[in-house]
Amino acid sequence: MVVKINYLNSPRLLLRQWRPEDQTIFARMNADTDVMRYYPACLTILQSNHLAQKLATLIEKRGWGLWALELKESGEFIGFSGLHQPEADLPFNPCVEIGWRLAKEYWGKGYATEAAQVALEFAFNNLGLSEVISFTSKQNSRSSSVMQRLSMINTQQNFQHPGIKEGQPLREHVLYKITRQQWQDLK
């Protein structure tokens, strides 16, 4: 499913292709223990740069993905949001997930929800998806709250994430989803 776009807009945000200058801020974000609290580990600069390049390559290839997130007013890069096809051996694959990661100073301002709403609209209107999922560590109440604000439904089908070692407290994940019909009913 390839749909070429240049960017997506919301009232305050631009979801766009990654730029080389995003990498420094992205690396700082990925080294922040608060931002990465619900991930197995912080990322090194090399790991962070590799991830940014991978996300940019996927967008170039498909025309969509986890876009760089920019504040329209200032042009600041603040994180990412968008759609992704997970590669891990998850019990519900194949699927398209919606996700986000923002620098800590931009938390609590509604940016994750605003960007995700635009990404959901793209998923259903442009890609024609029948459903979109999202998942996070059971402990990550902030991300679960975003999923709820998006009117996603907790499937009550928690799972053990295969990318996190057994016995680790972050291994149990919650799974949320929204169908195209549920999304259209909100309009």
Side-chain angles (χ1 to χ4, degrees):
M1 120 189 65
V2 176
V3 175
K4 293 290 183 182
I5 60 146
N6 291 323
Y7 56 87
L8 296 176
N9 271 301
S10 75
R12 301 178 294 167
L13 304 167
L14 184 67
L15 287 75
R16 59 160 172 81
Q17 178 57 288
W18 290 76
R19 299 178 186 146
E21 59 267 28
D22 299 332
Q23 290 186 354
T24 301
I25 297 167
F26 192 51
R28 255 196 319 268
M29 243 178 72
N30 290 324
D32 185 319
T33 54
D34 289 331
V35 173
M36 299 301 286
R37 180 177 180 183
Y38 299 107
Y39 293 90
C42 290
L43 302 181
T44 65
I45 292 172
L46 187 61
Q47 290 169 325
S48 180
N49 290 347
H50 176 75
L51 176 58
Q53 184 55 52
K54 179 180 178 179
L55 297 177
T57 300
L58 287 170
I59 292 169
E60 182 64 32
K61 179 179 168 184
R62 291 190 303 234
W64 57 273
L66 290 169
W67 292 282
L69 197 52
E70 178 181 307
L71 289 179
K72 282 183 176 178
E73 186 176 336
S74 64
E76 292 173 81
F77 168 83
I78 65 168
F80 69 73
S81 184
L83 306 167
H84 181 67
Q85 291 176 304
E87 298 169 355
D89 184 21
L90 301 171
F92 41 84
N93 258 348
C95 64
V96 173
E97 72 165 308
I98 190 164
W100 46 84
R101 185 180 306 166
L102 274 64
K104 181 173 41 184
E105 58 267 31
Y106 301 102
W107 292 359
K109 300 178 187 310
Y111 294 135
T113 303
E114 183 176 326
Q117 287 170 332
V118 171
L120 276 176
E121 183 174 340
F122 178 83
F124 294 128
N125 288 343
N126 296 79
L127 298 180
L129 298 179
S130 59
E131 77 174 18
V132 174
I133 61 102
S134 193
F135 55 88
T136 189
S137 169
K138 183 178 177 182
Q139 298 177 18
N140 189 348
S141 61
R142 292 182 74 91
S143 276
S144 291
S145 292
V146 172
M147 294 170 201
Q148 291 162 15
R149 282 192 295 278
L150 294 169
S151 298
M152 298 185 87
I153 307 299
N154 185 338
T155 66
Q156 304 297 322
Q157 297 173 344
N158 291 9
F159 66 98
Q160 303 299 309
H161 196 291
I164 300 175
K165 293 179 184 172
E166 286 189 40
Q168 296 296 314
L170 297 178
R171 191 158 197 245
E172 185 176 358
H173 275 53
V174 293
L175 174 65
Y176 281 74
K177 77 175 176 178
I178 187 167
T179 66
R180 181 184 325 167
Q181 187 61 56
Q182 289 166 332
W183 180 78
Q184 288 173 339
D185 291 346
L186 297 171
K187 300 287 175 197

